[in-house]
Amino acid sequence: MTYQEIGSTGMKVSNLSFGASSLGGVFHEINEGKAIEAVFAAIEGGMNFIDVSPYYGHYKAETVLGKALKQIDRSKYYLSTKVGRYGKDGVNTWDYSAKRVTDSVYESMERLNIDHIDLINVHDIEFQASLPGGLEKVAKETLPALVELREKGIVSHVGITDLQPENLKWVIENVPAGTVESVLCFCHYSLNDELLNDYFDFFEEKKIGIINASPLSMGLLGTRGVPDWHPAPKALVEACAKAVAHCNAKGYPAEKLAIQYAISSPRIATTLFSSANPDNVKKNIEYANAPIDWNLVKEVQEIIGDQMRVRWKNS
């Protein structure tokens, strides 16, 4: 495991980090005891950055993670959570107002059994883009509320997240310098899509740290295949399936290559993956610590061919 700083935050984090969405049963039902063991396995394996959100499992992920964190020395990890995207009784909700995001921070700390958040993110800002006020509301209301919490010492750093990097760029260009300290973008630095390459210079010029997520592109690059709800178009799903089969036929798990590729750029501070299974966590740490087969990367990307960088909308 190697460690790199997230922008200018001073947080030196492991190149592979623990995303806690699975703890909310987002992908399938979980065993809570095993899920807590998965958090322990991540810390013991050298991961020191954990990312979660009240949205994952509609508060369940934060609650389960909080049970694990009770038993872990606070100095062993940096904790990131989010505001703006929520849910209740199976219904997704969004609220990027200053009052709601402020209240949300305190609610998250209670669920997580902590008294301080290292990094607070505005979650999936593209959803606010379709709500009254659009992205301007994130720039003029949401982020100032979080900056106020930063000034009070409740949180240490402020970031924004989205599937669409152009939205991240727009917000950064429309807020005072130093407001946004990190960006979290998912599915755009993986075997089938390295769109983030186009944004590295911009983020670095602004001294903003880059967090990558979903090295398997939400299942596109996994042996189990994509879930029914995956928004990728059929041609991309089929191309990735062929690439996965090629890796597996060579005795090199597609998941291994996907994780190794996702953490390969020194311009990305860390890449998040999620699992509620401690054995999977340990296996992914092994993958991260092993050398990558760059010839196989080339073969896989040739198979994906004209489906490289094909976009889809969030859901």
Side-chain angles (χ1 to χ4, degrees), residues 46-280:
M47 294 185 195
N48 69 342
F49 184 73
I50 301 172
D51 176 79
V52 70
S53 167
Y55 170 69
Y56 301 146
H58 295 173
Y59 309 108
K60 182 177 179 179
E62 284 192 331
T63 301
V64 174
L65 178 59
K67 293 178 182 180
L69 296 183
K70 269 186 178 180
Q71 305 174 62
I72 301 173
D73 187 323
R74 187 64 177 87
S75 67
K76 291 186 177 293
Y77 63 89
Y78 294 108
L79 193 284
S80 163
T81 192
K82 307 181 183 77
V83 298
R85 193 174 184 187
Y86 311 99
K88 185 177 182 182
D89 299 326
V91 178
N92 295 336
T93 61
W94 295 266
D95 189 338
Y96 296 85
S97 66
K99 182 181 187 309
R100 182 67 190 102
V101 301
T102 299
D103 290 344
S104 182
V105 168
Y106 290 101
E107 292 166 7
S108 287
M109 288 195 296
E110 185 173 348
R111 282 189 291 269
L112 291 163
N113 292 304
I114 57 174
D115 58 9
H116 176 265
I117 293 171
D118 299 296
L119 173 62
I120 191 69
N121 290 291
V122 186
H123 197 174
D124 289 347
I125 59 175
E126 70 178 85
F127 288 100
Q128 175 54 44
S130 63
L131 295 173
L135 287 178
E136 192 167 339
K137 182 168 184 173
V138 172
K140 294 189 175 180
E141 182 174 346
T142 315
L143 283 168
L146 299 182
V147 167
E148 185 176 338
L149 292 177
R150 183 174 66 189
E151 291 170 349
K152 291 178 179 178
I154 305 300
V155 304
S156 290
H157 306 287
V158 173
I160 51 179
T161 87
D162 206 342
L163 172 65
Q164 317 295 351
E166 57 267 32
N167 288 338
L168 301 172
K169 183 173 184 287
W170 187 93
V171 169
I172 291 164
E173 290 176 328
N174 286 274
V175 296
T179 298
V180 175
E181 299 172 87
S182 70
V183 292
L184 191 165
C185 190
F186 53 103
C187 298
H188 287 311
Y189 200 84
S190 56
L191 285 168
N192 65 290
D193 190 328
E194 28 43 86
L195 178 65
L196 270 179
N197 275 328
D198 297 352
Y199 293 84
F200 284 157
D201 288 347
F202 172 79
F203 293 137
E204 289 172 356
E205 177 187 330
K206 303 291 186 182
K207 301 188 186 316
I208 291 171
I210 303 168
I211 300 170
N212 181 34
S214 196
L216 304 189
S217 286
M218 291 160 48
L220 278 176
L221 301 169
T223 303
R224 287 193 301 187
V226 297
D228 293 339
W229 49 260
H230 201 292
K234 183 179 179 182
L236 174 58
V237 172
E238 291 175 348
C240 287
K242 289 178 183 176
V244 168
H246 178 72
C247 287
N248 293 339
K250 290 196 140 193
Y252 200 113
E255 292 85 353
K256 177 179 180 179
L257 192 70
I259 284 185
Q260 291 176 323
Y261 183 81
I263 66 172
S264 65
S265 174
R267 303 179 80 173
I268 291 173
T270 189
T271 293
L272 298 162
F273 83 96
S274 186
S275 177
N277 183 322
D279 292 332
N280 284 343

Side-chain angles (χ1 to χ4, degrees), residues 303-314:
I303 291 170
I304 295 172
D306 64 4
Q307 293 302 301
M308 289 289 295
R309 289 198 182 205
V310 166
R311 303 287 293 273
W312 66 77
K313 287 188 177 296
N314 204 345

